[in-house]
Amino acid sequence: MTFTEIADRVWVTRRPWFDVTTTVVGGERGLVVVDTHGSAAAGRALADDVRALGAGEVVAVVNTHWHFDHTFGNQAFRELRADLPIHAHEEAVAELERGAAAVQERYAADPADPHRDDVLATTVVVPDQTFSSARVLDLGDRALELVHPGRGHTAGDLVLRVPDADVLVAGDLVESSAPPSFGEDSWPMEWPLSLDIVLGLTTSASVVVPGHGPVVDREAVEEQRNQIGIVAETARDLASRGVPLADALDAAEWPWPREHLATAVARAYAHLPRSQRRLPLI
């Protein structure tokens, strides 16, 4: 797979498996790889493509969140350098430690999956460089900013900002090849507020790299923020009016197909304060 340079020494590649978008940022001290894909084998293929850029050695890895399609390739980069620093939000590390085994168990139960053996052969490498709010990576002639804008797609999302190039790598807080993914670890009531922080890190000219799909502009992020906001506020309204969760998807209009939002609405109901839910009388 080839890389495309979207700004000065900022390259992206879209991998066919899950349409994961990986970013490489270069500076005089070397390269930072953002998200390493879903297995050691996939990570090795990615590392080969990074090497083919001829732009320098990898000096750090960043994981935007814990999900295996963004982290299980960490092993491949540690094979290149045993002390390679891998950065992530502290909650992403905790979630990876809790969730990695379940991912491999799921693949073990599906012999037909073409990636099964690669996932099972992967040794999960947990990031060793963590932060709670923000961190700066010094590449010599440029600084990269890691920011935790709040909970959204997961509890441990981060975005990476390249200020001199006006590029922001958003991870799965933003998706462009499909609707945003609301999993069992998502925070739909807080996601819009986290995207407000993300938008505050951009300009009208920013290039935003999503976790899946092609790069987008600030306007696309605003649109997705508003759609996620509609999901959150619609769930809040339904719960406050006493609409049971079982009836919620059929009781309102939604910005995406209902089958995509079942978990989102369930999570929203669960996260709403009791004061915002009309509970049945006993």
Side-chain angles (χ1 to χ4, degrees), residues 180-227:
S181 178
F182 295 93
E184 295 290 347
D185 55 352
S186 66
W187 296 83
M189 299 306 298
E190 299 179 32
W191 198 332
L193 301 179
S194 297
L195 283 178
D196 287 340
I197 302 297
V198 171
L199 287 166
L201 298 172
T202 66
T203 72
S204 61
S206 292
V207 176
V208 178
V209 183
H212 303 264
V215 299
V216 298
D217 57 16
R218 189 181 195 278
E219 184 177 351
V221 180
E222 290 176 334
E223 180 180 1
Q224 195 158 112
R225 182 264 177 244
N226 292 336
Q227 291 171 315

Side-chain angles (χ1 to χ4, degrees), residues 44-123:
R44 292 183 191 111
L46 175 64
D48 288 344
D49 290 343
V50 173
R51 189 180 301 110
L53 282 172
E57 298 297 319
V58 176
V59 296
V61 161
V62 173
N63 293 153
T64 58
H65 59 293
W66 80 270
H67 288 160
F68 85 98
D69 52 324
H70 298 260
T71 59
F72 272 24
N74 288 354
Q75 177 189 345
F77 287 86
R78 274 287 173 78
E79 290 170 352
L80 299 178
R81 178 179 150 190
D83 64 346
L84 184 72
I86 303 177
H87 299 264
H89 185 262
E90 58 190 12
E91 187 57 34
V93 171
E95 290 181 311
L96 180 58
E97 290 173 334
R98 292 193 298 264
V103 171
Q104 292 183 311
E105 289 170 5
R106 187 169 72 247
Y107 272 84
D110 187 3
D113 192 293
H115 300 283
R116 175 182 183 271
D117 292 345
D118 288 342
V119 172
L120 296 182
T122 297
T123 298

Side-chain angles (χ1 to χ4, degrees), residues 235 238-239 242-252 254 258 261-262 265-267 269-270:
L238 293 172
V243 176
L245 175 59
D247 300 330
L249 286 175
D250 294 326
W254 303 94
R258 294 173 185 176
L261 293 172
V265 177
R267 293 282 290 177
Y269 266 55

Side-chain angles (χ1 to χ4, degrees), residues 16-38:
W17 184 23
F18 289 120
D19 197 17
V20 171
T21 303
T22 289
T23 304
V24 174
V25 184
E28 66 179 6
R29 293 182 176 173
L31 306 176
V32 173
V33 176
V34 187
D35 291 339
T36 58
H37 213 357

